[in-house]
Amino acid sequence: RCAIRLLAGLVRTGDYLAPSFQSKNIRFDSLIRSPCLSFSLTMSLRTRFGPCFWAWAVCLLLVPKMPCLAFTTTIVSSTKHTPPGNCRSHSISSRSSLRMSNAAGLHTGYEWLAREKMDSYCDDNGKELEHEIIWVDIETGQAGKSVEDSNKVTGAEPLSNPIESDDILPLYPLGAVHLPSPGQIHKLNNIEPRNIKMANDLIDPDCGFDGRFCVTLRASDTGRIARTATLMRVVNTTRQESFDKSLIAIRVECVAEGLVEVQQILNPKCWSKEQRIKKSDEYLVAKVRPVEHDKESDGDIVRKEVQVIAEQVADDFEAVRRIYSSKDAVSTNELPDWAINAVQSNLPLLSASEFVHDLWSCTDVWQQLTNTIRMARRSELNSDVNEITIDEACKLGGPLKLPVHRTDLPIDVQKRLNSMEEAAAQNFLELGIDPIIDFQIILSLGNSVDRLKYLALLISRERRRLEAKSRLQQVFEVGVEDVGRSMANSNITSSFD
């Protein structure tokens, strides 16, 4: 009867599936926009009521022209039997989160991606990271390195006991990572009621925050926040008002003052789904503790090791900078002209001494490059998507209504655009140029030596990729020249004959 009801609802609906991947066990909420088929299908349905799950999958397979066919394949492929606790099980299923709407933005702020990167680092170096990203569930207050840790009470790591010296500051979860670079101005646009109220309270001397708040990364796939956050101080605000003088947005300019660790979230209920639906203006407040500055490394061996790493990373960075700044075949394939010009103008020379004594500024430069590459890829993707969207909208006939909504286009066109965005997101991930998770890992590391090592790994990996691509391009060009000369010689010989 369950299968018949699902099939009946599926037949009556004409919309497409819009899955929402929220956690490790893949909870599918609001599977469809149409009210004809509204239900929650979790992995418990597969394990406890296996026949119902497979009956539902078979029903979808019997209708091959339905737009949900690709999604059905994703569900079946992501539910393969893998041992619990295996991080690969989590990564395979969570890769489906690329099918979310933020695939068009080439977003990389996923918790499963952080786990894959840390595992890859362990495989490359033969040892584990001493400090990994600790994720905190806002509503429950449980912390752990993976979703499984938070789901198990015995395996979860509770937040540390707060002490009297801990500060009580607003907490600002974002989908980006802000580095504590000295003198760098960070700009945040606040349009949600809770963020507008936070900005007003920060500049209000009676609130006692002294303009300070904490910015932390929020994972898109699990909704959890990183325990290590960046402490900010507001230096300037710009208010935007409507015609009736009501406040609609506040732009905040702030500077970073260091790193903190979230010790306790004091009002987790304000982050509940009900409060977010109501657009409540209550923002998160947490007790935070400053991260202790790492002490100077003792011993000549450690200092020599740091110097060797710094000289190598400076050499790798200069090689990457030279390739991206030159308008040769490799750089033009990687970036458009405006991005190459931006790299030429804004990417400075960095010495080994700067990597040792001003690591955060050097890391910020590398993050700017990764963001530039992502913006270039995203602009090219948006250009292609917009071109197809307008062209298909014109084919519908009648006056062109702007903006063109994707839901107004034919189903096959929607599938084509979704596939383009998913492929672009996957290709960007495979580049290894990540402006989010890699830098959250650097924030979470316990000392400057480990941070320098991880940054050196990122830069050297990009250098190897670009140089391999350059060598392949040269081999191809030499091969084309050889073919051209052989064809010319054959023509000359045939003319003598």
Side-chain angles (χ1 to χ4, degrees):
R1 291 190 306 184
C2 178
I4 292 175
R5 289 177 182 174
L6 295 180
L7 179 60
L10 182 64
V11 171
R12 296 206 317 266
T13 187
D15 212 337
Y16 59 89
L17 293 173
S20 174
F21 298 82
Q22 294 183 352
S23 63
K24 164 68 173 63
N25 59 352
I26 315 179
R27 183 177 178 84
F28 303 94
D29 289 334
S30 302
L31 273 179
I32 202 159
R33 294 185 179 181
S34 171
C36 298
L37 187 63
S38 178
F39 61 91
S40 292
L41 180 65
T42 62
M43 289 303 298
S44 60
L45 178 62
R46 184 196 181 284
T47 56
R48 298 179 185 176
F49 307 100
C52 295
F53 177 87
W54 291 116
W56 179 74
V58 170
C59 290
L60 295 183
L61 293 174
L62 291 177
V63 191
K65 293 186 178 180
M66 291 300 292
C68 54
L69 178 60
F71 174 64
T72 307
T73 307
T74 303
I75 298 176
V76 176
S77 63
S78 63
T79 55
K80 295 180 179 179
H81 292 284
T82 49
N86 187 349
C87 67
R88 293 301 176 186
S89 170
H90 173 56
S91 63
I92 291 174
S93 60
S94 299
R95 278 186 180 276
S96 303
S97 57
L98 291 177
R99 294 183 177 273
M100 297 172 65
S101 58
N102 56 7
L106 305 183
H107 186 67
T108 57
Y110 301 111
E111 191 173 327
W112 64 263
L113 183 60
R115 172 55 55 185
E116 281 197 352
K117 285 180 175 292
M118 288 185 285
D119 289 343
S120 176
Y121 180 86
C122 298
D123 295 339
D124 293 342
N125 295 272
K127 62 178 181 178
E128 296 184 358
L129 291 171
E130 295 183 4
H131 299 270
E132 298 184 9
I133 301 177
I134 302 297
W135 301 95
V136 179
D137 190 293
I138 298 177
E139 297 186 17
T140 64
Q142 295 293 332
K145 299 177 182 179
S146 63
V147 179
E148 293 89 339
D149 291 340
S150 293
N151 291 336
K152 300 176 183 177
V153 178
T154 57
E157 179 183 337
L159 295 178
S160 302
N161 294 325
I163 58 178
E164 294 181 358
S165 60
D166 291 344
D167 290 326
I168 298 178
L169 297 175
L171 196 60
Y172 200 153
L174 290 173
V177 174
H178 292 264
L179 300 174
S181 306
Q184 181 71 24
I185 299 295
H186 302 264
K187 300 178 182 179
L188 302 174
N189 295 319
N190 304 283
I191 58 176
E192 295 184 6
R194 70 172 79 229
N195 297 333
I196 291 177
K197 187 175 187 303
M198 181 195 298
N200 281 326
D201 291 347
L202 289 174
I203 59 179
D204 186 358
D206 295 335
C207 291
F209 295 135
D210 195 21
R212 297 180 303 157
F213 66 103
C214 303
V215 173
T216 184
L217 172 65
R218 181 172 181 261
S220 297
D221 51 345
T222 63
R224 304 199 301 170
I225 62 173
R227 185 174 180 178
T228 304
T230 303
L231 179 63
M232 296 284 192
R233 184 184 295 274
V234 176
V235 295
N236 189 27
T237 58
T238 303
R239 303 168 66 89
Q240 183 178 353
E241 299 178 348
S242 62
F243 64 93
D244 59 350
K245 302 301 181 180
S246 61
L247 184 63
I248 59 176
I250 296 182
R251 186 178 187 181
V252 175
E253 295 181 359
C254 47
V255 293
E257 293 190 344
L259 298 177
V260 296
E261 283 188 353
V262 177
Q263 303 300 313
Q264 182 182 6
I265 299 177
L266 301 180
N267 56 340
K269 293 183 178 180
C270 78
W271 201 257
S272 63
K273 184 180 295 185
E274 292 77 14
Q275 294 297 321
R276 281 180 284 174
I277 292 176
K278 294 178 182 178
K279 294 186 176 181
S280 171
D281 63 353
E282 184 180 4
Y283 52 85
L284 289 172
V285 178
K287 285 190 176 182
V288 298
R289 184 178 304 171
V291 175
E292 297 181 0
H293 296 285
D294 52 312
K295 300 178 181 179
E296 290 291 335
S297 301
D298 297 329
D300 295 337
I301 297 177
V302 176
R303 283 193 290 268
K304 289 180 179 179
E305 179 187 8
V306 170
Q307 186 63 31
V308 170
I309 297 174
E311 292 175 357
Q312 182 60 49
V313 71
D315 183 67
D316 292 339
F317 179 81
E318 175 57 26
V320 173
R321 179 183 177 276
R322 184 174 59 254
I323 293 175
Y324 275 121
S325 299
S326 61
K327 293 187 177 182
D328 56 7
V330 175
S331 61
T332 53
N333 287 334
E334 293 287 335
L335 298 175
D337 289 340
W338 65 265
I340 296 177
N341 295 333
V343 171
Q344 291 176 340
S345 305
N346 302 317
L347 204 63
L349 291 170
L350 297 178
S351 63
S353 176
E354 289 175 294
F355 277 100
V356 174
H357 302 291
D358 197 5
L359 179 60
W360 285 123
S361 297
C362 296
T363 308
D364 186 74
V365 170
W366 184 252
Q367 189 184 39
Q368 291 179 22
L369 176 61
T370 59
N371 272 315
T372 301
I373 297 173
R374 183 176 67 167
M375 289 176 61
R377 295 293 181 107
R378 188 162 54 189
S379 65
E380 293 177 352
L381 173 63
N382 292 338
S383 177
D384 295 338
V385 169
N386 292 337
E387 182 178 354
I388 295 175
T389 301
I390 297 298
D391 184 55
E392 294 295 335
C394 293
K395 293 180 181 179
L396 298 177
L400 181 62
K401 297 180 181 180
L402 297 177
V404 179
H405 298 285
R406 185 173 298 188
T407 54
D408 297 333
L409 300 176
I411 293 297
D412 59 335
V413 178
Q414 295 182 36
K415 292 173 59 178
R416 179 185 174 190
L417 296 177
N418 292 338
S419 299
M420 287 177 56
E421 293 173 348
E422 294 160 14
Q426 186 62 42
N427 291 336
F428 181 72
L429 284 179
E430 292 174 355
L431 280 181
I433 301 295
D434 172 25
I436 299 179
I437 292 297
D438 281 330
F439 297 91
Q440 184 61 47
I441 293 177
I442 292 177
L443 288 183
S444 303
L445 294 175
N447 56 75
S448 58
V449 177
D450 288 341
R451 294 186 182 114
L452 178 60
K453 289 180 179 179
Y454 194 85
L455 180 62
L457 174 66
L458 300 178
I459 298 177
S460 64
R461 185 182 297 168
E462 178 64 5
R463 177 182 182 177
R464 293 196 304 267
R465 186 185 73 86
L466 293 176
E467 289 181 345
K469 191 172 182 179
S470 178
R471 288 193 296 268
L472 184 62
Q473 182 72 23
Q474 293 174 0
V475 170
F476 178 77
E477 292 175 354
V478 171
V480 171
E481 293 177 357
D482 292 341
V483 171
R485 281 195 294 267
S486 63
M487 292 178 63
N489 294 333
S490 62
N491 291 335
I492 293 174
T493 305
S494 62
S495 63
F496 278 112
D497 294 339

